[in-house]
Every structure is written in C-alpha cells, then in structure tokens.
C-alpha cells in the first residue's frame, strides 16, 4: 500500500508551505528519514525527510507551488508495487489578489449546518493563523470579513496583506481624487500621471523597461517573504537609529589569549559571542528594549532570546538562541556556531526561528562600516554590527591605533525614546570596552 507524503506543519502558526525543490524524482528509491524535498514557510526553510522506505511513485505538487499543511504532495510505494491512482487531496494556495467578499451573504440553505453551531469569534480564529490575526489587529481589520484562499476558507498571510493593501490604496485614491485639480488637456494623459505608487511585492509596481539582453526571473519564495516582512515592519514601527563608536581592543586581546583554549573545547571565540553577552547585560538593565507592543499594551518579556541573523545564498534567516541570558560565553559561542551551521545546511526546525526578543545582525562581516537595520517584528529593537578593524583614534591627546567598530541600534520610537535607546547603547559600549576576562 502506498504511503502518502504530506506537507508538514512546521510550527503552530504555519498554515501553508511552498515546495522549493524535489531532492528525489519519480522512480527513485528512498530510505526512511532520507531528505525527500525542500520547503519554505513563513518561519523557516527546511529539508523534509521521507516518512517511509520505498520508491517515489508520484509527485502531486510541483516545485514553486504553495499548498496547505497536511496536503498530500507525493506517494511512496513499496519496492515493486505499482502505485494505484487516487484522488488528490492537494489544495493549492493562490497568490493572486482575492476579490472582496460580496456584501450579500449566500442563501442560508447553502451553508453547512455545522457553521451555525460555531460561535463567530471561534470560527474566525479557526480560519486564520496567529500571524494573520496580529496583522489584522495592527491594521484594525476584521478577519471574518475577508475572503480566505486557504484550506476551508482559511485566511492566509497573502490574503490579509492584499486586503490591507487594497484598503490603503482605496483611501489614497480618494484623497488624491479630492485634492487633484481637474484635467486641463493632453498633459493629464501623460504616462507619468498614471504611474502606480510602489507597494508590496508583486502588486502596484512601476513599469520597468526591459531590454532584449536582460534576464528576467521570478523572486524566490525566501525573497518574497523577506520583502513582505520588511515592508510590513517599516509600516508598523517608527524606526529611529543611533550609532556608537566602540573600542574592541580589550576584547581583541582576550580573544587572542583564549582562542586556542576555545578551539580545544570545540568552538571558535568570535566577536559575536562577546557582543551578545554585552547586549544581554544591557537588556537586563533596560527591559523595555526586550519588549513588544500589542495594541495599547506593552509585553515585557521574561526570557532574553537573541536572534542572530545568518546570511544565506539569496536571502537571510534569523535563528534564535533561547534563554541566552542563562549561557556563559562558551555556551553562547557554541550556540551561535551551531545555529549558523544548521541554518546554512537547511536543518533548522520551526522552533529555532521563533520566540526571538532582540536581534543582532552583522553586515560588518562583509566590510560595511555600519548599517541601518530594519526591526524584526514583533520586536522593538535590532543591533547592527559594523566591520571591526584597527583605526587611528585620539587617546589622551595623542594618536593611537585601536580595534574599533560602529554599532547601530535600530529601535521603535513608539515605545523607546531617544534617551532610553542611547542609554542602552552606552551600556553595550561600556560592557564591551570593559569586558572582564573572568567572564571568559
């Protein structure tokens, strides 16, 4: 009997997944737990192992297609067994913009009888994920009024973002129509006057001339999700940035002294471990930087879970060190290295990228002096690390060579004032410049 391979639910809030690549093809022999296909979701990219040993006899969902969790994506039969055709249970998730629901409800007799037994609020929650409901709260949208494209009418992230985009576009068009003067002739028909304003990818884009020699390819699933998340963060948070020049000479001296010892213990002593420990100390002093905004409420996080951005080919992912404040420098070094290695090998689990309370990103590894990072929602702050290098600075009225770097704090001005942001950064700077070797 054939074994059904289903789209796994990679986390509580995940409603769908996109098949990025089939590692095996039809006719290939597979072992149980051998990587079978690669998926991308809102939270993580991962390789999915085979649930059984046998032969891959049918692929029901092709690369690039998005389907609801628990949908059958393939069949595996025992060696020598012919796969019997069966009805597919795949439900594709459309990326096309959804039409607004009709104001006229369907006739009562066409609705399932069970629907009348489900309370309105409970039914609404069943039709959307926590991520969708959070976006709805931020934009004051009633999820129950949105036509869902997911399994059983479930409202997906694309549905809610498209609805919000259409609402904002309608309001903007009304305002522009009210403010715009009446057309005076041929000028109103110029192409420039009809250009749409840029919005969320892929809609509302400005027309781009394409030459015959240009190569055009679709955005990857990861790039689409990054684009959506970054634009959503910009629209959600009032971004402000503070830049501090920090002396890493003490840490550099400690690294050189302890580098061989740490390598013998199976890990590298990197700048990132020191920076993470300094951030943890500052978060203890300023818990509002470790908080989140939930409507009119501030959620102060007890745990300090540090996300460390990892650059991948064609994208970025942020695995999270859980309870980072409970780890010493050696533990942080091992956690950072292990998460980065699994991220690049696409071996992260959903829990590895959830629950972060503060993020550190390191553009300096590529030579950037400093950056202005975008906040990783629903967090309220992010630290950007510039390149760490020797520079000439003034010390006691003389020119000296020191190991220096720029650190940038991006924070949400809705919750964090400039004074608090700068005090937090001053504490990070103090911790780095006065690092005690006894902590190593």
């Amino acid at each position: 009997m054939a074994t059904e391979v289903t789209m796994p639910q990679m986390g509580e809030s995940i409603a769908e997944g996109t098949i990025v690549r089939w590692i095996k093809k039809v006719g290939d022999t597979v072992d149980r737990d051998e990587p079978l296909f690669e998926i991308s979701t809102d939270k993580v990219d991962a390789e999915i192992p085979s649930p059984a040993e046998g032969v891959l006899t049918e692929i029901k969902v092709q690369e690039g297609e998005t389907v609801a969790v628990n949908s059958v994506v393939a069949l595996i039969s025992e060696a020598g067994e012919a796969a019997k055709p069966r009805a597919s249970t795949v439900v594709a998730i459309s990326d096309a913009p959804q039409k607004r629901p009709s104001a006229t409800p369907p006739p009562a007799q066409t609705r399932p009888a069970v629907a009348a037994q489900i309370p309105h609020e409970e039914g609404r929650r069943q039709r959307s994920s926590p991520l969708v409901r959070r976006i709805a709260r931020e934009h004051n949208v009633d999820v129950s009024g949105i036509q869902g494209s997911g399994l059983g009418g479930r409202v997906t992230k694309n549905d809610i973002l498209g609805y919000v985009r259409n609402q904002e576009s309608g309001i903007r068009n009304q305002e522009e129509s009210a403010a715009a003067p009446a057309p005076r002739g041929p000028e109103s028909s110029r192409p420039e006057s009809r250009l749409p304003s840029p919005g969320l990818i892929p809609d509302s884009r400005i027309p781009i001339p394409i030459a015959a020699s240009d190569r055009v390819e679709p955005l990857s699933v990861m790039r689409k999700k990054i684009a959506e998340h970054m634009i959503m963060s910009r629209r959600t948070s009032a971004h402000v940035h503070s830049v501090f020049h920090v002396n890493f000479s003490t840490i550099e001296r400690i690294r050189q002294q302890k580098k061989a010892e740490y390598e013998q213990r199976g890990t590298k002593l990197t700048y990132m471990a020191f920076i993470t420990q300094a951030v943890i100390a500052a978060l203890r002093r300023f818990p509002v930087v470790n908080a989140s905004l939930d409507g009119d409420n501030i959620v102060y996080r007890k745990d300090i879970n540090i996300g460390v951005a990892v650059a991948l080919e064609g994208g970025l992912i942020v695995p999270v060190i859980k309870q980072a404040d409970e780890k010493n420098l050696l533990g942080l070094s091992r956690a950072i290295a292990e998460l980065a290695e699994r991220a690049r090998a696409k071996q992260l689990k959903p829990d590895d990228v959830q629950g972060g309370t503060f993020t550190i990103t390191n553009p300096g590894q590529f030579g950037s002096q400093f950056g202005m990072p975008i906040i990783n929602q629903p967090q309220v702050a992010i630290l950007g690390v510039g390149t760490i290098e020797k520079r000439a600075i003034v010390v006691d009225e003389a020119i000296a060579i020191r190991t220096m770097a720029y650190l940038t704090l991006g924070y949400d001005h809705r919750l964090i004032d400039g004074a608090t942001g700068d005090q937090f950064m001053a504490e990070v700077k103090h911790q780095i410049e006065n690092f005690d070797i006894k902590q190593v």
Side-chain angles (χ1 to χ4, degrees), residues 201-202 216-225 227:
I201 294 175
V216 179
E217 58 184 39
L219 283 173
S220 67
V221 173
M222 178 178 287
R223 284 253 61 94
K224 283 184 179 181
K225 295 183 187 305

Side-chain angles (χ1 to χ4, degrees), residues 210-388:
I210 300 175
S213 59
D214 294 338
R215 186 178 80 252
V216 179
E217 58 184 39
L219 283 173
S220 67
V221 173
M222 178 178 287
R223 284 253 61 94
K224 283 184 179 181
K225 295 183 187 305
I226 290 173
E228 292 171 355
H229 293 169
M230 293 301 96
I231 291 175
M232 186 264 286
S233 181
R234 276 294 192 185
R235 289 180 172 177
T236 300
S237 297
H239 281 69
V240 179
H241 294 84
S242 293
V243 182
F244 276 57
H245 205 196
V246 181
N247 190 336
F248 278 78
S249 298
T250 297
I251 284 179
E252 174 60 17
R253 184 170 62 253
I254 294 173
R255 282 185 68 245
Q256 296 305 321
Q257 292 175 3
K258 297 289 185 177
K259 182 167 61 175
E261 177 185 332
Y262 268 60
E263 287 177 353
Q264 290 177 354
R265 299 168 83 173
T267 189
K268 292 184 178 180
L269 185 56
T270 64
Y271 288 115
M272 185 59 70
F274 287 96
I275 294 168
T276 302
Q277 194 160 75
V279 164
I280 291 168
L283 290 173
R284 287 191 180 120
R285 281 199 59 192
F286 301 93
V288 71
V289 184
N290 196 54
S292 291
L293 270 175
D294 184 18
D296 295 332
N297 299 318
I298 304 173
V299 180
Y300 289 95
R301 308 290 187 181
K302 179 182 178 182
D303 294 334
I304 296 178
N305 300 332
I306 304 295
V308 179
V310 177
L312 305 176
E313 183 178 353
L316 186 82
I317 199 165
V318 185
V320 177
I321 305 171
K322 300 294 177 62
Q323 286 84 46
D325 53 322
E326 298 180 3
K327 300 181 184 296
N328 58 18
L329 194 67
L330 177 62
L332 290 173
S333 299
R334 286 173 172 167
I336 293 169
E338 190 261 343
L339 284 173
E341 182 179 351
R342 287 203 288 123
R344 296 188 179 103
K346 298 184 178 179
Q347 297 297 321
L348 291 175
K349 299 177 182 178
D351 187 60
D352 292 328
V353 293
Q354 298 187 60
T357 61
F358 185 93
T359 296
I360 303 174
T361 183
N362 184 20
Q365 63 182 313
F366 305 110
S368 174
Q369 292 294 306
F370 57 85
M372 299 294 174
I374 297 175
I375 297 167
N376 187 12
Q377 298 294 329
Q379 299 166 28
V380 294
I382 182 171
L383 183 75
V385 180
T387 189
I388 302 174

